[in-house]
Structures are given as structure tokens and as C-alpha cells.
Amino acid sequence: MRLRDVPESWEVVATATPFTGNKTSVRTDDVVMPDGTVARRDYQVHPGSVAVLALDDEDRVLVLSQYRHPVRQKLWEIPAGLLDVPGENPLNAAMRELYEEAHVKAEDWRVLADVYTTPGGCDEAVRIFLARDISEAEGERFAVEDEEMDLEFARVPLEELVRGALAGELHNNCLVVGVLALQAALGSAGGVGGLRPADAPWPARPFEA
């Protein structure tokens, strides 16, 4: 049996936006349930994100440690960022984030996974890319500010990240999903070559090729 998520939209009889922030907002919808009753649902409206699992020629993953105030922890993560421009090609955004956060470029790109981070309370969609054949980018490093001023960088073997994720030592969703997806791809019959191309359609955040 092959499972697929399918588009569906229940009737909304009223909607409001009680909060609008710099990048995201909060929406309140009154949604008609299957039995005809109406339930109120509050959720964060998010532009979407991209993340990059950059793998070097020694099978090490480029990771960074960044303070995340909502959870009061410094988390090890992979480079990631918002889709700041509506309709932007996510590959272009991923290349930008890899350059800005790590001053790295890559020649080979594929899609690892598309996920909704917290679909019960936020509409954020994330596309996680696999980037290989990586090297230092040319030119000056991108200027950092705020939490990014305290970043730590490391290159860690994929197996160690998988171990840390399964041991409950690593918690960033893009890191965990990315390393487990890559491990699964490497162990599959098609290998990394069976992954989707970098320009694969993304219905959650449609873009121009």
C-alpha cells in the first residue's frame, strides 16, 4: 500500500489575523468540522524555509551551532533560512543560505525531503536539500548580526549525527530529518542517484523554474 498526502481544504466560515510580525503572523480560522460543528484553530502563517545538508568528500556534514531563544538552547543545525521572496526558486534560496551562513558553495544539488515542521500549529513548509562537491566560496564572508555572531561551525561524520539524533542529543528538525533521510537514501537500491532533482516541483511552495 502506497501512502500519499492529499490536498484538502475544509470550509472556513470566519478568519482573522490577531498578530502580524516581521516575518510571520498568527491567523485564527473558524473551521467547519465533519459533523457540522465549528471549531476555532489558531496557527502561525509562515513564508516557508529551505535547509541544506552539505556533505564533503569525507562524508562529513557541515553543521553549525546557534542559540535559539524559544527553546533556550544552542542547537546544532544545518544551514537554513526563510523563503524571503514570494515565488522564489527554493534552490536559489538554498544556495544563498549556504553562502551566507557558511561561505560555502556546492556543485551537485538534490532534494532530500519536503516536510511541514509543525502542521498542527504552523503552515511552515521546509525543503531540505543535499549539497555535494562543496568548496569555499569566493569573496568576502557575509556580514552577520544578532544570534549569528555567536555561531560555531564543525564538519561531523554522518554516522555520528545519526547516532546523536537517535540518542536524543540533537533536536533541530531539519538536521534530524536530513541526516536520517540521507542515511536511508544511501542504503536504498537507487542510492543518492534516486533522490529527486533539485528543481523538483514543490506544491507546498510553488515556484518559477
Side-chain angles (χ1 to χ4, degrees):
M1 180 178 176
R2 185 170 180 173
L3 301 182
R4 288 180 179 271
D5 297 334
V6 296
E8 186 167 343
S9 182
W10 292 1
E11 181 184 3
V12 175
V13 295
T15 187
T17 304
F19 170 79
T20 300
N22 185 34
K23 297 292 186 181
T24 67
S25 61
V26 173
R27 182 174 297 164
T28 298
D29 288 344
D30 291 342
V31 186
V32 179
M33 298 290 108
D35 64 356
T37 60
V38 175
R40 179 157 292 175
R41 296 289 179 262
D42 301 317
Y43 59 99
Q44 182 185 21
V45 178
H46 194 284
S49 306
V50 292
V52 184
L53 194 154
L55 189 69
D56 69 14
D57 56 7
E58 297 180 38
D59 289 333
R60 298 177 303 174
V61 177
L62 173 63
V63 293
L64 54 93
S65 177
Q66 183 169 357
Y67 175 66
R68 294 301 188 182
H69 186 70
V71 296
R72 305 300 198 275
Q73 291 191 43
K74 286 193 73 173
L75 301 180
W76 284 102
E77 307 177 350
I78 55 178
L82 298 176
L83 288 169
D84 294 313
V85 181
E88 180 181 16
N89 188 311
L91 176 59
N92 294 341
M95 290 177 171
R96 181 182 67 243
E97 292 300 330
L98 185 61
Y99 168 75
E100 291 182 356
E101 292 197 352
H103 202 62
V104 166
K105 63 181 181 179
E107 300 301 325
D108 184 75
W109 291 82
R110 297 176 186 273
V111 176
L112 262 179
D114 296 330
V115 296
Y116 292 113
T117 54
T118 49
C122 179
D123 71 351
E124 180 183 14
V126 180
R127 168 157 282 189
I128 304 173
F129 289 92
L130 171 64
R132 297 185 300 168
D133 193 6
I134 64 174
S135 60
E136 291 293 314
E138 296 86 3
E140 297 183 3
R141 297 188 67 92
F142 187 79
V144 298
E145 58 184 12
D146 301 330
E147 290 91 343
E148 293 179 347
M149 298 178 68
D150 192 42
L151 294 180
E152 298 177 60
F153 293 90
R155 294 194 181 193
V156 181
L158 175 64
E159 293 80 4
E160 173 60 19
L161 295 175
V162 170
R163 185 208 62 77
L166 297 179
E169 299 169 356
L170 301 170
H171 305 91
N172 175 264
N173 60 346
C174 292
L175 172 63
V176 172
V177 171
V179 299
L180 295 181
L182 179 56
Q183 183 191 48
L186 291 171
S188 68
V192 171
L195 293 172
R196 288 172 291 161
D199 60 353
W202 189 17
R205 293 294 185 273
F207 61 90
E208 295 182 5

